[in-house]
Amino acid sequence: MTMAFPSQPRALQMPELLHTIFQFSEPEDNYASARVCKTWSNEALAILWRSVMFDVVLDLLGPTTPSAAGDLVFVRCPQPEDWSRLDHYAWRIHHLDVPWQPYHPSVFQHIVSLRSRGILFPNLEALDFNNNDLGNVHLFTHAKLKTLILQSADDVGEPLHTKTLLLHLPLETYHLHTLNLGFLLIPEEVSHLDLASVLQGLPALKTLWLPGDRLVPQIANTLAWHPVLECLVSTVVTHANTTTWDVFSTSLELDSYPSLKQLEIAVPLDRAALILSQTHRPRCLVLFAVKCYWSEEFVDSYARFIDVISSHYPKLETLFVENNDVYQDPPNLQQMTFLELRPIMRLSALRQLVLTHPLQLDLDLGQITEIAKALPSIESLFLNESPRILSVPNLTMTALVTLISLCPKLEVLGLYVNASVTMPPITNDRTLASLRLLSVGRSSIVDARAVARFLKSILPKSCALCSNTTPHRAPEDYVYSRRWDWVEKKRSTKESRY
């Protein structure tokens, strides 16, 4: 390592300033900076090693190679000098990511020998453990850990390891702020009572993710006393034909969820309406997301849900109504009309609105105008831009012109439009200046040249254009997609004519 040059400005010897500079530097530049002098090295290494992958840590202990079974194993046993090298960097690590990679048992056995001498990563605050070796999570946990993300595959090994891990969380990570179990296969050996006891022992939780089939009323009522819980998310469960209908609670007690601001659950719309209309419902919600299955829904369910949430949560800032049943065409499904969606206009504080449905929303230009006028703060608006069941869109590109003056804060927009008709007149003084993304989903298009010319006149050059976000493409989707891709390419060029 070289010494600092005598002529080096004093400012470039200040750790705080160097830390700020290195935060915005490329890794290659920080590698070079780490060789300048001791002061630069400390700050550059602090950035480089703040967040690392587990494989990088293993490289400090010696070379690794895949074994005959495919798992990762050390080429040789780590030596004392290897442990010293790890200790030199371990205290700098604040975020560790253990990826989906099979490791030979000997790898963790070597680490156990070091762990016996003290905490392996003394300043670790966040652990992302995406691996089936759940019995080894305890090697990295300690009282300073604030964020823990646990993921596993359906073929996870010994279920008792998972149970032991969960039951010990309150003892080893009492101060957890964020716990994500949403993508962890929790075995049957872990009862609802067990899980409720674990969560009760983590009083500092602010954010919690759970599998949808685990947010049952018993656990929801346990969580209701958490004084600082702000975000509660249940993920959609797809294994073993599990349904998640009987989740959360419809009999909460007084002063439940005093700090809850974000709630995301997977339930039918009727149950969502029941949850949100109960006497002792959470009072502070600013974000609500419901992941529903349209095969179970009807027009009146949708209308009832929209009416309930707009009546009880007038200060709501974000509303997601998401469709997860993409494999079934329900026989009695009807379009959502302006009559069912009208209550949304009460939510004047909305900043994000996402509505999805297998059929296009039955809205005309006048009704879109009314909705836009009622949502002056809207920044992200997705109005079912990719209906699964195709029909001729009611809206045309004129809707974009209408939104220009009504939604000045709009940054993200998703609309299902008919771009196969004549484009509106081009004006050079009215644009969606704040728009960063326009999603046209499965919108039809014929004259790509005319569409590109029109969009170039009303969209900022930095705005991205995307199409066909549906997982099930019809043959015409491929044709439309190629034309939209051509539009995006030409719209972003510097050519004035094409």
Side-chain angles (χ1 to χ4, degrees), residues 255-421:
D255 297 326
S256 296
Y257 294 99
S259 302
L260 192 66
K261 297 178 181 178
Q262 302 181 28
L263 177 60
E264 303 181 34
I265 50 179
V267 293
L269 292 176
D270 279 335
R271 184 168 181 86
L274 186 60
I275 290 170
L276 297 177
S277 60
Q278 59 185 308
T279 303
H280 301 307
R281 60 187 175 273
R283 300 283 175 172
C284 304
L285 290 183
V286 295
L287 181 152
F288 184 79
V290 57
K291 305 155 192 172
C292 50
Y293 295 78
W294 295 112
S295 59
E296 306 291 333
E297 307 295 347
F298 297 94
V299 171
D300 56 345
S301 302
Y302 204 119
R304 188 180 307 110
F305 165 74
I306 294 294
D307 183 61
V308 165
I309 196 167
S310 60
S311 298
H312 294 301
Y313 297 93
K315 297 182 180 180
L316 199 71
E317 297 179 3
T318 300
L319 174 60
F320 293 92
V321 182
E322 301 181 64
N323 168 24
N324 288 289
D325 191 0
V326 296
Y327 300 103
Q328 185 175 358
D329 291 328
N332 300 319
L333 198 66
Q334 295 176 275
Q335 281 184 304
M336 297 299 109
T337 70
F338 186 58
L339 179 63
E340 288 81 48
L341 299 178
R342 185 190 293 271
I344 285 178
M345 296 170 62
R346 303 176 193 153
L347 303 175
S348 59
L350 272 184
R351 297 170 57 191
Q352 299 182 78
L353 175 61
V354 177
L355 302 178
T356 61
H357 195 277
L359 301 172
Q360 69 160 311
L361 302 182
D362 188 12
L363 299 173
D364 58 30
L365 182 60
Q367 293 161 347
I368 286 289
T369 301
E370 286 191 51
I371 292 175
K373 287 180 178 179
L375 307 178
S377 301
I378 199 71
E379 297 173 5
S380 179
L381 178 64
F382 284 89
L383 294 177
N384 202 42
E385 78 280 10
S386 289
R388 184 156 46 86
I389 303 170
L390 291 178
S391 58
V392 178
N394 295 342
L395 300 173
T396 66
M397 287 294 199
T398 303
L400 299 181
V401 179
T402 301
L403 294 174
I404 287 175
S405 58
L406 297 177
C407 303
K409 298 181 180 180
L410 197 60
E411 297 181 359
V412 181
L413 175 63
L415 279 182
Y416 182 56
V417 296
N418 185 355
S420 300
V421 298

Side-chain angles (χ1 to χ4, degrees), residues 418-442:
N418 185 355
S420 300
V421 298
T422 303
M423 293 297 102
I426 294 176
T427 59
N428 296 323
D429 58 338
R430 304 179 65 194
T431 65
L432 287 163
S434 299
L435 205 65
R436 296 183 289 105
L437 173 67
L438 172 61
S439 175
V440 292
R442 305 182 74 188

